[in-house]
Amino acid sequence: MINVLTADEVRHAERELEKSGVSISFMRMNASLALAECLLPRAKKDRVKTAVFCGAGGNGYDGVLAAARLKHDCCDVTAYLVGDRSKFSVEILRYAENEGLDLRAASEYAGGADIIVDAIFGIGLNRAIDGECADLINKLNADNAFKVAVDIPSGLNADTGEIMGVAFKADFTVTFSCYKRGMLFGSGKDICGGIVVEEVGIPTSSNVRVFDGEDFKPFKRKPTAHKGTSGRVFVIGGCGTMIGAPILAGSAAHAAYLNGAGTVTVCLPKVHRNAAAARATMSMMKFLDDTTDGFILFDKISLDDIISRATAIDIGMGMGETPDLKKIISYLCDNFGGTLVIDADGLNAISGDYLFLKNSKCNVVLTPHVGEFTRLTGKPANIENAVALANDTGAIVTLKSATTIITDGNEVRLNIAGTPAMAKGGTGDVLGGCITALSCAYSAFDAASIACYRNGMGAERAVSAYSQMMLTPRDILRYAEYEEK
């Protein structure tokens, strides 16, 4: 897993490295060499023109030195200095000129480059970009070239992902030693393009990291395993006013089967008996007493039956605003000893009143999307508030978004795998089924992390076979397999 740091944390790591005797020039040379290596395969092609735009700070110096390296390797490259030349390091400019690098003022750029490299501003930017710099960035964004950002796109706040007036829109970002938090939130994912993290010798440490699945191997059943030892999953959902609820519950159940559950039982209100029977595939069915409107009622006998048999329970999808839902959740928390995944209407039922979860007998996983999180807590959806919710409830929080935050209140794992094709109803229900099934084999924290990563990677693979508009949640599951080793 790769660390994710704020700007202050990066600066602190650099200062600590300096105190240990490592010079800034050494770090800068490592960064520029890493950047040049990333650019070289594309920049060295015949008749490819590369324009590197360099500010007067450390980011700009990385750009100048990388451009000099490309020139040394016979690339057609020009460095354009942004701002007053007198503010640049004389030593670095002299080195670049000795390498034969053409240094020009940014105002001389007339377009026509095949590759544009943005090394104007780095992570230290703390004001909105305006004036000539803003005009330049807008000009570069409009240029028909392959665009690369150095460390972070100029104009992107390194902590929040906010666009500060204007920002360079990259096809690709080469960042150093760690992800910067703003790359993964706000507008960061829109303007960073593909991101590669190059190690340049700056030791970083953080309790916030990007989950990449490498530390977790597929769970392998024992030769003597049978369905009773492989986990019994119950999916509770549906109400009379949501005709599609059995389909959503069925998607969650299907996901649970594909993620290793030994058996899956879908629990629906009796009003859906006929509709669900017509759609039943592998899942078993249990029909719960309901109101005249089809809302599931609190019934101790039925819940005790579920508790006695379940390894993990997924509750909430399509249940509507039933007055008994919170009571059902509370009863499960008090009496169930497995993993309880609370999603959708289950989250709405406990909005603003969730502290009782802290005393749960079961392992609780909360899976809100951004809107549900704000309704649940009354707070913005961000890392700090997700951590606070996990600590307040003792639950694993899975805050779903383009970058999903998964936390146990101490460690934070970020899932960046995925695609905009996942922005469809039912994707969250599938994820809930995956987490529930995987919790039969892994800890709740690991189950949530693996499920998010697998589904994200499955969606990325699936878009090669489907258009973004056509992709469905079940299509994602077809591509979300582990490679057995």
Side-chain angles (χ1 to χ4, degrees):
M1 290 187 277
I2 302 176
N3 289 321
V4 181
L5 271 65
T6 64
D8 281 345
E9 289 170 336
V10 172
R11 285 189 285 265
H12 176 75
E14 292 173 343
R15 286 193 297 268
E16 290 299 306
L17 193 58
E18 281 188 83
K19 289 178 183 178
S20 72
V22 178
S23 67
I24 291 178
S25 60
F26 176 80
M27 290 186 272
R28 186 165 290 148
M29 187 58 70
N30 281 351
S32 63
L33 288 174
L35 173 61
E37 288 298 315
C38 288
L39 293 170
L40 190 60
R42 186 181 289 263
K44 201 169 183 179
K45 293 180 180 178
D46 289 342
R47 293 183 294 279
V48 168
K49 295 182 179 180
T50 301
V52 184
F53 291 83
C54 309
N59 194 253
Y61 296 159
D62 292 341
V64 172
L65 293 173
R69 176 70 186 197
L70 293 175
K71 186 67 176 181
H72 179 81
D73 288 328
C74 303
C75 297
D76 184 354
V77 57
T78 302
Y80 292 90
L81 306 183
V82 181
D84 190 343
R85 187 183 180 113
S86 65
K87 295 182 179 179
F88 286 78
S89 164
V90 173
E91 180 183 5
I92 288 178
L93 296 185
R94 184 179 297 122
Y95 167 79
E97 288 173 335
N98 288 340
E99 288 292 328
L101 180 65
D102 188 9
L103 296 170
R104 300 182 184 180
S107 58
E108 296 182 41
Y109 180 66
D114 300 292
I115 302 172
I116 291 174
V117 180
D118 160 37
I120 303 171
F121 296 109
I123 63 172
L125 183 68
N126 57 11
R127 59 176 177 80
I129 299 174
D130 55 17
E132 292 181 358
C133 281
D135 293 340
L136 173 63
I137 290 174
N138 284 326
K139 179 180 178 180
L140 299 181
N141 284 340
D143 210 333
N144 185 24
F146 183 77
K147 301 178 180 71
V148 180
V150 178
D151 206 23
I152 193 167
S154 291
L156 182 68
N157 186 290
D159 293 339
T160 67
E162 174 191 1
I163 292 178
M164 303 178 73
V166 65
F168 183 79
K169 185 170 176 55
D171 297 300
F172 195 72
T173 297
V174 181
T175 196
F176 305 125
S177 295
C178 62
Y179 288 98
K180 284 65 184 181
R181 189 179 290 192
M183 294 177 160
L184 308 179
F185 295 98
S187 298
K189 294 195 77 169
D190 289 330
I191 68 170
C192 285
I195 302 173
V196 61
V197 179
E198 289 289 337
E199 181 52 59
V200 297
I202 302 173
T204 59
S205 178
S206 176
N207 68 335
V208 181
R209 294 180 291 172
V210 167
F211 184 86
D212 56 15
E214 291 185 359
D215 295 333
F216 295 87
K217 301 301 181 184
F219 181 83
K220 293 187 177 181
R221 293 173 173 170
K222 295 178 181 179
T224 54
H226 56 81
K227 66 182 181 182
T229 63
S230 300
R232 298 185 183 274
V233 168
F234 281 71
V235 179
I236 305 175
C239 70
T241 60
M242 298 187 189
I243 305 303
I247 300 175
L248 298 179
S251 293
H254 182 67
Y257 264 127
L258 292 185
N259 281 268
T263 65
V264 181
T265 302
V266 177
C267 303
L268 296 167
K270 287 182 177 179
V271 70
H272 284 312
R273 184 188 297 272
N274 292 335
R279 295 180 179 276
T281 54
M282 295 179 291
S283 303
M284 294 179 283
M285 293 286 177
K286 181 178 178 66
F287 296 98
L288 305 177
D289 288 340
D290 55 6
T291 67
T292 55
D293 294 325
F295 292 107
I296 294 174
L297 289 168
F298 174 83
D299 179 65
K300 186 176 179 297
I301 294 175
S302 295
L303 292 176
D304 285 343
D305 177 59
I306 292 170
I307 288 169
S308 69
R309 293 190 286 147
T311 310
I313 299 171
D314 183 12
I315 186 169
M317 72 287 295
M319 294 186 73
E321 297 182 7
T322 167
D324 278 10
L325 181 49
K326 183 179 177 182
K327 191 175 179 181
I328 293 169
I329 291 171
S330 181
Y331 189 81
L332 292 173
C333 287
D334 289 342
N335 296 280
F336 179 49
T339 297
L340 178 65
V341 178
I342 306 175
D343 189 21
D345 286 318
L347 297 168
N348 294 331
I350 61 173
S351 290
D353 186 15
Y354 48 78
L355 296 182
F356 71 91
L357 297 173
K358 186 76 170 181
N359 299 316
S360 297
K361 179 180 178 181
C362 54
N363 300 310
V364 177
V365 182
L366 304 175
T367 61
H369 57 58
V370 170
E372 290 167 338
F373 182 90
T374 300
R375 288 196 296 273
L376 180 66
T377 64
K379 300 175 182 177
N382 58 36
I383 289 176
E384 288 73 22
N385 289 334
V387 169
L389 178 61
N391 284 318
D392 287 343
T393 60
I396 303 302
V397 174
T398 303
L399 175 48
K400 300 177 291 191
S401 190
T403 293
T404 293
I405 301 165
I406 309 134
T407 180
D408 62 356
N410 179 34
E411 181 183 355
V412 177
R413 297 171 180 169
L414 303 181
N415 176 61
I416 61 174
T419 162
M422 301 175 77
K424 287 188 175 181
T427 303
D429 302 296
V430 164
L431 177 65
C434 293
I435 294 172
T436 310
L438 289 169
S439 72
C440 299
Y442 296 90
S443 72
F445 191 23
D446 289 347
S449 305
I450 294 167
C452 291
Y453 178 74
R454 286 183 66 178
N455 280 15
M457 291 303 298
E460 289 184 15
R461 297 186 190 106
V463 292
S464 64
Y466 300 85
S467 72
Q468 283 194 0
M469 300 302 180
M470 292 177 60
L471 198 68
T472 69
R474 288 204 178 193
D475 295 328
I476 293 169
L477 289 170
R478 296 191 183 101
Y479 291 84
E481 77 285 349
Y482 266 146
E483 180 183 351
E484 293 287 348
K485 294 181 180 179

